[in-house]
Amino acid sequence: MKAPVRVAVTGAAGQISYSLLFRIAAGQMLGEDQPVILQLLEITPALGALEGVAMELDDCAFPLLAGIVQTDDPNVAFKDADYALLVGARPRGPGMERKDLLEANAAIFSVQGKAINDNASPDIKVLVVGNPANTNALIAQRNAPNINPRQFTAMTRLDHNRAMTQLAQKTGTTINDVKKMTIWGNHSSTQYPDLHHATVNGKTAIDMVDQAWYEGTYIPEVQQRGAAIIKARGASSAASAANAAIAHMRSWALGTAEGDWVSMGVYSDGSYGIAEGLIYSYPCVCKNGDWEIVQGLEVNDFSRDRMAATEQELAEERDAVSHLLP
Ligand code: NAX
């Protein structure tokens, strides 16, 4: 058996974590031969609820669960952490715009970025789930000057998965037939699900659907899926978000499938003309515990406009919190 790794999870008594933690402890994120120590962070008033979650984790008798830390201190939660899933944030309620959440969440993520910088393993892999995820990841990253910015990522895998399923359903196939999906940009309603490189059974997806459906139905449905779930459920996506977080980390740690890629919000190096330093969702291939942006994809005018619009939104979010960035 391998030595245990430390996995910090924030918002550990929340909805997403109620699915996420059990799947991490079951080995679905890092493999069934990898023991984990869960280091769970909550705000002080939620520590009682967190205790209940920890009791349930105990009661599952997971063979891979080598320990549980419960705390309201970020310095304790991130101590020697190898992985961090930053889920805790103020969730969006019905009718609430993400911009309202920027300020409220910026304070949380600057504190956590510093705590990661000061306490975590220098090789830590960080995934930000809490919204606005890309900009929260940027804030955490900028507050962690001793950690390589490539180690801070934001989750667009749920959008990626939604885009795959919508395409499979439209083409009468299954997600097993869909490859090379790309979500560009922000995890928000400006994200751009791109079918120009995606394939269905090896055929280019954009050639299998008509442009009116792509523009008028597909793109908005993928962009608005989070709001549709809130409307239907009365609460934001939880199990599917946890599933996407597991998949994001698993791909990053254990690699992507040959001939395929995934969408990840990563530190922009200027690829595809996107401003350097934004946390922007790109098509990525993962190997040996690292990610690379897929290069050389052709970008037509239709795509270029949408990639620029979502970039613009991220630049505005960055500027709105610039006073909190060191
Ligand atoms: P919940 O409100 O159920 O849970 C959030 C938990 O975080 C609460 O228990 C709260 O006490 C805790 N928390 C708040 N501030 C904290 C802090 N400073 N330190 C530690 N814990 C803190 O929300 P949940 O449904 O679990 O959603 C969590 C976040 O994920 C929200 O921001 C939500 O918008 C976001 N989502 C992101 C998605 C994505 O694709 N990137 C999709 C799903 C989800 O909407």
Side-chain angles (χ1 to χ4, degrees), residues 298-314:
E298 219 173 281
V299 174
N300 64 16
D301 289 346
F302 180 90
S303 294
R304 174 57 61 199
D305 286 350
R306 280 154 187 78
M307 287 162 67
T310 190
E311 177 192 14
Q312 175 65 28
E313 183 184 47
L314 281 170

PDB file of all heavy atoms in Angstrom, residues 298-314:
ATOM      1  N   GLU A 298      -7.539  25.172 -34.779  1.00  0.00           N
ATOM      2  CA  GLU A 298      -7.935  26.291 -35.628  1.00  0.00           C
ATOM      3  C   GLU A 298      -9.117  27.027 -34.992  1.00  0.00           C
ATOM      4  O   GLU A 298     -10.056  26.384 -34.515  1.00  0.00           O
ATOM      5  CB  GLU A 298      -8.360  25.738 -36.986  1.00  0.00           C
ATOM      6  CG  GLU A 298      -7.902  26.601 -38.129  1.00  0.00           C
ATOM      7  CD  GLU A 298      -8.199  25.901 -39.429  1.00  0.00           C
ATOM      8  OE1 GLU A 298      -7.422  24.988 -39.805  1.00  0.00           O
ATOM      9  OE2 GLU A 298      -9.220  26.263 -40.032  1.00  0.00           O
ATOM     10  N   VAL A 299      -9.049  28.326 -34.961  1.00  0.00           N
ATOM     11  CA  VAL A 299     -10.113  29.118 -34.336  1.00  0.00           C
ATOM     12  C   VAL A 299     -10.735  30.023 -35.395  1.00  0.00           C
ATOM     13  O   VAL A 299     -10.070  30.917 -35.920  1.00  0.00           O
ATOM     14  CB  VAL A 299      -9.536  29.955 -33.169  1.00  0.00           C
ATOM     15  CG1 VAL A 299     -10.588  30.893 -32.606  1.00  0.00           C
ATOM     16  CG2 VAL A 299      -8.980  29.042 -32.074  1.00  0.00           C
ATOM     17  N   ASN A 300     -12.007  29.795 -35.727  1.00  0.00           N
ATOM     18  CA  ASN A 300     -12.654  30.647 -36.740  1.00  0.00           C
ATOM     19  C   ASN A 300     -13.228  31.912 -36.086  1.00  0.00           C
ATOM     20  O   ASN A 300     -13.148  32.080 -34.863  1.00  0.00           O
ATOM     21  CB  ASN A 300     -13.712  29.852 -37.526  1.00  0.00           C
ATOM     22  CG  ASN A 300     -14.863  29.397 -36.642  1.00  0.00           C
ATOM     23  OD1 ASN A 300     -15.045  29.903 -35.519  1.00  0.00           O
ATOM     24  ND2 ASN A 300     -15.642  28.448 -37.123  1.00  0.00           N
ATOM     25  N   ASP A 301     -13.819  32.774 -36.882  1.00  0.00           N
ATOM     26  CA  ASP A 301     -14.296  34.061 -36.349  1.00  0.00           C
ATOM     27  C   ASP A 301     -15.396  33.867 -35.310  1.00  0.00           C
ATOM     28  O   ASP A 301     -15.453  34.579 -34.305  1.00  0.00           O
ATOM     29  CB  ASP A 301     -14.833  34.958 -37.488  1.00  0.00           C
ATOM     30  CG  ASP A 301     -13.705  35.464 -38.375  1.00  0.00           C
ATOM     31  OD1 ASP A 301     -12.529  35.356 -37.960  1.00  0.00           O
ATOM     32  OD2 ASP A 301     -13.998  35.947 -39.485  1.00  0.00           O
ATOM     33  N   PHE A 302     -16.275  32.890 -35.564  1.00  0.00           N
ATOM     34  CA  PHE A 302     -17.372  32.611 -34.622  1.00  0.00           C
ATOM     35  C   PHE A 302     -16.803  32.267 -33.248  1.00  0.00           C
ATOM     36  O   PHE A 302     -17.223  32.808 -32.226  1.00  0.00           O
ATOM     37  CB  PHE A 302     -18.195  31.427 -35.175  1.00  0.00           C
ATOM     38  CG  PHE A 302     -19.348  31.017 -34.314  1.00  0.00           C
ATOM     39  CD1 PHE A 302     -20.611  31.594 -34.483  1.00  0.00           C
ATOM     40  CD2 PHE A 302     -19.200  30.040 -33.330  1.00  0.00           C
ATOM     41  CE1 PHE A 302     -21.684  31.206 -33.679  1.00  0.00           C
ATOM     42  CE2 PHE A 302     -20.263  29.648 -32.535  1.00  0.00           C
ATOM     43  CZ  PHE A 302     -21.507  30.227 -32.716  1.00  0.00           C
ATOM     44  N   SER A 303     -15.827  31.382 -33.248  1.00  0.00           N
ATOM     45  CA  SER A 303     -15.216  30.973 -31.974  1.00  0.00           C
ATOM     46  C   SER A 303     -14.428  32.123 -31.359  1.00  0.00           C
ATOM     47  O   SER A 303     -14.497  32.348 -30.139  1.00  0.00           O
ATOM     48  CB  SER A 303     -14.276  29.780 -32.189  1.00  0.00           C
ATOM     49  OG  SER A 303     -15.011  28.648 -32.581  1.00  0.00           O
ATOM     50  N   ARG A 304     -13.692  32.822 -32.184  1.00  0.00           N
ATOM     51  CA  ARG A 304     -12.837  33.911 -31.679  1.00  0.00           C
ATOM     52  C   ARG A 304     -13.668  34.933 -30.906  1.00  0.00           C
ATOM     53  O   ARG A 304     -13.290  35.356 -29.813  1.00  0.00           O
ATOM     54  CB  ARG A 304     -12.114  34.564 -32.879  1.00  0.00           C
ATOM     55  CG  ARG A 304     -11.301  35.780 -32.584  1.00  0.00           C
ATOM     56  CD  ARG A 304     -10.220  35.572 -31.529  1.00  0.00           C
ATOM     57  NE  ARG A 304      -9.219  34.581 -31.879  1.00  0.00           N
ATOM     58  CZ  ARG A 304      -8.409  33.977 -31.002  1.00  0.00           C
ATOM     59  NH1 ARG A 304      -8.486  34.271 -29.715  1.00  0.00           N
ATOM     60  NH2 ARG A 304      -7.536  33.073 -31.393  1.00  0.00           N
ATOM     61  N   ASP A 305     -14.857  35.294 -31.452  1.00  0.00           N
ATOM     62  CA  ASP A 305     -15.723  36.281 -30.778  1.00  0.00           C
ATOM     63  C   ASP A 305     -16.150  35.786 -29.403  1.00  0.00           C
ATOM     64  O   ASP A 305     -16.157  36.532 -28.433  1.00  0.00           O
ATOM     65  CB  ASP A 305     -17.002  36.519 -31.600  1.00  0.00           C
ATOM     66  CG  ASP A 305     -16.712  37.343 -32.842  1.00  0.00           C
ATOM     67  OD1 ASP A 305     -15.582  37.868 -32.956  1.00  0.00           O
ATOM     68  OD2 ASP A 305     -17.622  37.454 -33.688  1.00  0.00           O
ATOM     69  N   ARG A 306     -16.517  34.517 -29.340  1.00  0.00           N
ATOM     70  CA  ARG A 306     -17.003  33.965 -28.068  1.00  0.00           C
ATOM     71  C   ARG A 306     -15.869  33.775 -27.061  1.00  0.00           C
ATOM     72  O   ARG A 306     -16.044  33.996 -25.859  1.00  0.00           O
ATOM     73  CB  ARG A 306     -17.776  32.666 -28.330  1.00  0.00           C
ATOM     74  CG  ARG A 306     -19.166  32.975 -28.791  1.00  0.00           C
ATOM     75  CD  ARG A 306     -19.822  31.920 -29.646  1.00  0.00           C
ATOM     76  NE  ARG A 306     -21.101  32.449 -30.136  1.00  0.00           N
ATOM     77  CZ  ARG A 306     -21.209  33.304 -31.152  1.00  0.00           C
ATOM     78  NH1 ARG A 306     -20.126  33.715 -31.818  1.00  0.00           N
ATOM     79  NH2 ARG A 306     -22.396  33.758 -31.522  1.00  0.00           N
ATOM     80  N   MET A 307     -14.723  33.367 -27.558  1.00  0.00           N
ATOM     81  CA  MET A 307     -13.555  33.226 -26.659  1.00  0.00           C
ATOM     82  C   MET A 307     -13.157  34.586 -26.093  1.00  0.00           C
ATOM     83  O   MET A 307     -12.749  34.700 -24.931  1.00  0.00           O
ATOM     84  CB  MET A 307     -12.384  32.599 -27.420  1.00  0.00           C
ATOM     85  CG  MET A 307     -12.606  31.115 -27.696  1.00  0.00           C
ATOM     86  SD  MET A 307     -11.529  30.476 -29.007  1.00  0.00           S
ATOM     87  CE  MET A 307      -9.929  30.595 -28.219  1.00  0.00           C
ATOM     88  N   ALA A 308     -13.299  35.629 -26.906  1.00  0.00           N
ATOM     89  CA  ALA A 308     -12.936  36.979 -26.451  1.00  0.00           C
ATOM     90  C   ALA A 308     -13.964  37.510 -25.449  1.00  0.00           C
ATOM     91  O   ALA A 308     -13.611  38.188 -24.483  1.00  0.00           O
ATOM     92  CB  ALA A 308     -12.830  37.917 -27.646  1.00  0.00           C
ATOM     93  N   ALA A 309     -15.247  37.185 -25.659  1.00  0.00           N
ATOM     94  CA  ALA A 309     -16.292  37.687 -24.748  1.00  0.00           C
ATOM     95  C   ALA A 309     -16.108  37.112 -23.346  1.00  0.00           C
ATOM     96  O   ALA A 309     -16.228  37.822 -22.341  1.00  0.00           O
ATOM     97  CB  ALA A 309     -17.676  37.337 -25.294  1.00  0.00           C
ATOM     98  N   THR A 310     -15.803  35.831 -23.267  1.00  0.00           N
ATOM     99  CA  THR A 310     -15.641  35.209 -21.947  1.00  0.00           C
ATOM    100  C   THR A 310     -14.317  35.662 -21.316  1.00  0.00           C
ATOM    101  O   THR A 310     -14.224  35.856 -20.100  1.00  0.00           O
ATOM    102  CB  THR A 310     -15.823  33.670 -22.022  1.00  0.00           C
ATOM    103  OG1 THR A 310     -15.893  33.155 -20.706  1.00  0.00           O
ATOM    104  CG2 THR A 310     -14.772  32.961 -22.814  1.00  0.00           C
ATOM    105  N   GLU A 311     -13.309  35.921 -22.147  1.00  0.00           N
ATOM    106  CA  GLU A 311     -12.044  36.497 -21.642  1.00  0.00           C
ATOM    107  C   GLU A 311     -12.300  37.884 -21.050  1.00  0.00           C
ATOM    108  O   GLU A 311     -11.792  38.222 -19.980  1.00  0.00           O
ATOM    109  CB  GLU A 311     -11.029  36.606 -22.783  1.00  0.00           C
ATOM    110  CG  GLU A 311      -9.725  37.256 -22.351  1.00  0.00           C
ATOM    111  CD  GLU A 311      -8.828  37.636 -23.524  1.00  0.00           C
ATOM    112  OE1 GLU A 311      -9.298  37.640 -24.675  1.00  0.00           O
ATOM    113  OE2 GLU A 311      -7.645  37.932 -23.267  1.00  0.00           O
ATOM    114  N   GLN A 312     -13.115  38.656 -21.760  1.00  0.00           N
ATOM    115  CA  GLN A 312     -13.444  40.013 -21.309  1.00  0.00           C
ATOM    116  C   GLN A 312     -14.109  39.971 -19.920  1.00  0.00           C
ATOM    117  O   GLN A 312     -13.789  40.750 -19.026  1.00  0.00           O
ATOM    118  CB  GLN A 312     -14.382  40.650 -22.355  1.00  0.00           C
ATOM    119  CG  GLN A 312     -14.923  42.020 -22.004  1.00  0.00           C
ATOM    120  CD  GLN A 312     -13.820  43.066 -21.939  1.00  0.00           C
ATOM    121  OE1 GLN A 312     -12.798  42.933 -22.624  1.00  0.00           O
ATOM    122  NE2 GLN A 312     -13.994  44.078 -21.103  1.00  0.00           N
ATOM    123  N   GLU A 313     -15.018  39.024 -19.744  1.00  0.00           N
ATOM    124  CA  GLU A 313     -15.694  38.909 -18.439  1.00  0.00           C
ATOM    125  C   GLU A 313     -14.682  38.577 -17.340  1.00  0.00           C
ATOM    126  O   GLU A 313     -14.730  39.145 -16.237  1.00  0.00           O
ATOM    127  CB  GLU A 313     -16.779  37.835 -18.494  1.00  0.00           C
ATOM    128  CG  GLU A 313     -17.550  37.744 -17.179  1.00  0.00           C
ATOM    129  CD  GLU A 313     -18.564  36.617 -17.174  1.00  0.00           C
ATOM    130  OE1 GLU A 313     -18.218  35.477 -17.582  1.00  0.00           O
ATOM    131  OE2 GLU A 313     -19.702  36.857 -16.770  1.00  0.00           O
ATOM    132  N   LEU A 314     -13.746  37.685 -17.647  1.00  0.00           N
ATOM    133  CA  LEU A 314     -12.728  37.325 -16.644  1.00  0.00           C
ATOM    134  C   LEU A 314     -11.833  38.519 -16.324  1.00  0.00           C
ATOM    135  O   LEU A 314     -11.452  38.707 -15.169  1.00  0.00           O
ATOM    136  CB  LEU A 314     -11.889  36.150 -17.147  1.00  0.00           C
ATOM    137  CG  LEU A 314     -12.564  34.792 -16.999  1.00  0.00           C
ATOM    138  CD1 LEU A 314     -11.783  33.721 -17.727  1.00  0.00           C
ATOM    139  CD2 LEU A 314     -12.712  34.448 -15.526  1.00  0.00           C
TER     140      LEU A 314
END
